[in-house]
Amino acid sequence: MRNSPSKNGSSGGHCRNFTDAVWSPFIKSGLGISPNRSYALVSLIILLAVGAFISTRLLLDPTVCHPKRHSTSVTASPKTKTQTHTISPKYPLPTTVITQNPKPEFTLHCPANETTTGSTCPRNNYPTTTSFGDDNPNHPPTATCPDYFRWIHEDLRPWAKTGITREALERAKKTANFRLSIVGRKVYVEKFQDAFQTRDVFTIWGFLQLLRKYPGKIPDLELMFDCVDWPVVRAAEFAGVNAPSPPPLFRYCGNEETLDIVFPDWSFWGWAEVNIKPWESLLKELREGNERKTWINREPYAYWKGNPVVAETRQDLMKCNVSEEHEWNARLYAQDWIKESKEGYKQSDLASQCHHRYKIYIEGSAWSVSEKYILACDSVTLLVKPHYYDFFTRGLLPAHHYWPVREQDKCRSIKFAVDWGNTHVQKAQDIGKAASDFIQQELKMDYVYDYMYHLLTEYSKLLLFKPEIPLNAVEICSETMACPRSGNERKFMTESLVKRPAESGPCAMPPPYDPASLYAVVKRKQSTTTRILQWEMKYWSKQNQTGS
Ligand SMILES: *[C@@H]1O[C@H](CO)[C@@H](O)[C@H](O)[C@H]1NC(C)=O
Ligand SMILES: *[C@@H]1O[C@H](CO)[C@@H](O)[C@H](O)[C@H]1NC(C)=O
Ligand SMILES: *[C@@H]1O[C@H](CO)[C@@H](O)[C@H](O)[C@H]1NC(C)=O
């Protein structure tokens, strides 16, 4: 499964920028929302549907737009390191916990000579039941999943009435990198084409870890996965009455025009090539990094670093850099990948990249994995209008988690945002904090797994055929993946290995949106954004009049 860059990877370049991002409020369930409706009508609808009129004051008060959600920890399992070499005398074993309640524990069973490739999948490696479930009346109550889980229903809606036939699944093979089957708790992968770098490897690794976290709870299924950036299942082709049902295709991002099913990207388990470690440890570092420099003591400018070459919109952004002629409050840097690779991608300092009060997000040619790193900074994220979404970004709200920036006339938009933030420091800090809280709480690794759990469970219910072991497939397990590897790949796999089953069940899946509430959510985002942009226009026309 080791991959080399291939034609698939043409998109990878832009994705290696850690400073761009995406959010998309779009829906694709065919509600026929017209962007041309008059503002008054929109306001009226919101007034009726939500029962709240968003004034500028309210808009800037996050508690108004965004009721507090549950942030209860679902699996509060004590972290007990079991590899003796990682135990330092400073951190003695929590013996009371272990002796009181011995938990089944997974380890990697690699052959003694690790250079041999003959790793096999161990039998009876997984405990037969988890400690939660119907059979355990004492399992702790579970919290409701974050709101963005509701999009799972929307992503699967195209098949809600028809179900998924084998024929539809096979049509998804056209662009897929691999087929993954789960049959009787075992994972089989049939590979069709190489993916860029180790995208597919770490994606499959994620599936394996999910099975370790919830052994016996993941239903049998077959799915097709495409590791390339851009969504390809065009909704328009499947819209007619007699149109075939769309092929169900899993990938990392989607947009308004497509029906691809979004799934957490590989970087949650690590990005070996650029030395980005698994999310769980990175998240902790980012949290600690934020404590190093409080918001008010950060540079009062908007920061971006990335590869401007991959998209025109990024080259356009570069015009906003500080110069002799302009001060648009932007500090922009081109990533030097050759230099960085020579220096071994010291991306461990992602956590120390939060040195500006504002960080800009701009898409490359599609979504980018960097969004979570930027949002986690405590800085105000200035989000240049995105066109793609990934699995969690649909939970982000303008003026609460980020500040919207226009695609056209970016420089003025950025200057306005930064000036506003520097004169409304408390509100600006609140936005920065809301975003990093969202990332720390609602996007913690437990929820990433729970998202996978619920998506796969709902998906499997739609299958109209019995999942099978594909003819050309091989059984894959953590051992066959990790044991033969070395370097970052081995390191990140060891680090992200799920070592014990979850002690509580996954969070409770929130219900689907009904059409009216989905409409209200989408419209609310749009009107908040519109409100800010109108406000900005007013500001600039005043500035223009006073001739500055
Ligand atoms: C491990 O296997 C390789 C290849 O078979 C061999 O060259 C090497 O000597 C072995 N190492 C040990 C420690 O047995
Ligand atoms: C932006 O301006 C700064 C300061 O002059 C400079 O160091 C940096 O290289 C510029 N960025 C780009 C992409 O030209
Ligand atoms: C302000 O002036 C600039 C430069 O002439 C122009 O591009 C921009 O559209 C004007 N903005 C408003 C809101 O009038």
Side-chain angles (χ1 to χ4, degrees), residues 113-116:
N113 185 342
E114 297 191 349
T115 59
T116 56

Side-chain angles (χ1 to χ4, degrees), residues 106-229:
F106 301 133
T107 46
L108 270 186
H109 297 278
C110 290
N113 185 342
E114 297 191 349
T115 59
T116 56
T117 51
S119 304
T120 52
C121 294
R123 296 295 128 210
N124 307 318
N125 185 20
Y126 299 172
T128 47
T129 53
T130 50
S131 46
F132 74 90
D134 308 332
D135 45 339
N136 181 359
N138 298 323
H139 73 87
T142 51
T144 303
C145 307
D147 251 14
Y148 65 83
F149 279 57
R150 300 180 79 173
W151 290 95
I152 289 174
H153 302 292
E154 302 311 313
D155 284 355
L156 296 176
R157 200 175 292 286
W159 302 275
K161 290 213 178 77
T162 60
I164 296 170
T165 61
R166 176 164 289 285
E167 185 273 331
L169 178 79
E170 296 301 327
R171 272 190 282 121
K173 185 175 168 179
K174 198 164 72 181
T175 62
N177 291 86
F178 62 87
R179 177 205 307 264
L180 185 136
S181 299
I182 300 175
V183 177
R185 297 170 173 223
K186 292 188 191 135
V187 175
Y188 301 87
V189 171
E190 180 186 12
K191 184 170 162 178
F192 304 125
Q193 38 185 325
D194 278 336
F196 182 64
Q197 296 182 336
T198 46
R199 283 179 177 208
D200 56 345
V201 172
F202 278 88
T203 300
I204 294 166
W205 179 258
F207 278 96
L208 295 172
Q209 301 322 303
L210 176 69
L211 265 78
R212 292 166 81 100
K213 186 173 169 78
Y214 294 129
K217 303 286 177 189
I218 311 299
D220 284 8
L221 56 83
E222 276 183 54
L223 60 82
M224 299 286 186
F225 208 109
D226 183 340
C227 300
V228 179
D229 287 353

Side-chain angles (χ1 to χ4, degrees), residues 54-80:
I54 304 167
S55 74
T56 303
R57 186 184 58 80
L58 293 179
L59 171 81
L60 298 170
D61 178 355
T63 57
V64 173
C65 308
H66 189 68
K68 271 264 167 288
R69 294 200 193 93
H70 295 278
S71 59
T72 324
S73 170
V74 178
T75 51
S77 60
K79 272 242 151 57
T80 48

Side-chain angles (χ1 to χ4, degrees), residues 243-467:
S245 78
L249 182 61
F250 285 71
R251 69 168 349 97
Y252 309 120
C253 79
N255 67 13
E256 192 184 12
E257 288 88 36
T258 53
L259 302 172
D260 302 60
I261 302 167
V262 293
F263 196 80
D265 68 68
W266 72 95
S267 68
F268 286 95
W269 295 273
W271 190 347
E273 288 81 1
V274 295
N275 201 28
I276 291 187
K277 53 178 76 169
W279 183 231
E280 190 142 32
S281 17
L282 193 48
L283 198 54
K284 193 161 157 279
E285 284 181 14
L286 286 161
R287 191 167 56 231
E288 290 161 0
N290 279 341
E291 283 159 18
R292 269 179 243 145
K293 201 161 200 179
T294 57
W295 189 89
I296 204 79
N297 292 321
R298 295 182 187 184
E299 299 285 322
Y301 302 107
Y303 174 88
W304 183 83
K305 185 175 177 186
N307 183 358
V309 183
V310 296
E312 245 173 70
T313 184
R314 288 188 173 182
Q315 287 162 37
D316 186 49
L317 175 69
M318 291 306 113
K319 294 176 193 154
C320 309
N321 199 15
V322 62
S323 69
E324 309 250 304
E325 299 95 63
H326 307 293
E327 174 57 280
W328 297 116
N329 293 342
R331 299 292 181 268
L332 314 173
Y333 302 90
Q335 189 95 286
D336 185 343
W337 283 107
I338 294 162
K339 184 160 163 272
E340 300 238 359
S341 83
K342 280 193 187 128
E343 291 169 2
Y345 297 108
K346 296 212 178 64
Q347 287 305 330
S348 49
D349 57 11
L350 267 182
S352 57
Q353 276 183 20
C354 304
H355 35 58
H356 288 74
R357 290 184 184 174
Y358 310 88
K359 291 193 80 172
I360 299 169
Y361 248 163
I362 184 166
E363 288 179 343
S365 53
W367 117 108
S368 162
V369 302
S370 66
E371 56 191 307
K372 52 186 176 296
Y373 311 127
I374 292 177
L375 286 164
C377 254
D378 274 1
S379 307
V380 180
T381 299
L382 306 185
L383 198 68
V384 180
K385 185 181 161 36
H387 299 275
Y388 298 88
Y389 56 78
D390 72 13
F391 77 101
F392 74 86
T393 49
R394 290 174 288 188
L396 300 174
L397 300 171
H400 180 64
H401 297 111
Y402 66 89
W403 189 268
V405 163
R406 284 185 290 152
E407 222 177 353
Q408 278 80 41
D409 215 357
K410 296 178 183 72
C411 305
R412 278 192 180 76
S413 217
I414 290 166
K415 178 163 170 49
F416 174 74
V418 172
D419 282 348
W420 174 82
N422 286 339
T423 48
H424 298 78
V425 292
Q426 190 53 51
K427 279 164 182 164
Q429 282 179 80
D430 290 347
I431 295 176
K433 192 71 173 50
S436 48
D437 283 352
F438 175 91
I439 296 296
Q440 290 287 344
Q441 289 161 23
E442 304 195 16
L443 195 61
K444 61 184 176 181
M445 206 55 207
D446 283 335
Y447 281 143
V448 176
Y449 282 121
D450 285 1
Y451 190 93
M452 296 159 69
Y453 171 89
H454 283 300
L455 173 57
L456 296 179
T457 302
E458 297 301 314
Y459 170 83
S460 76
K461 289 179 194 164
L462 297 170
L463 299 180
L464 298 174
F465 57 91
K466 192 174 177 308

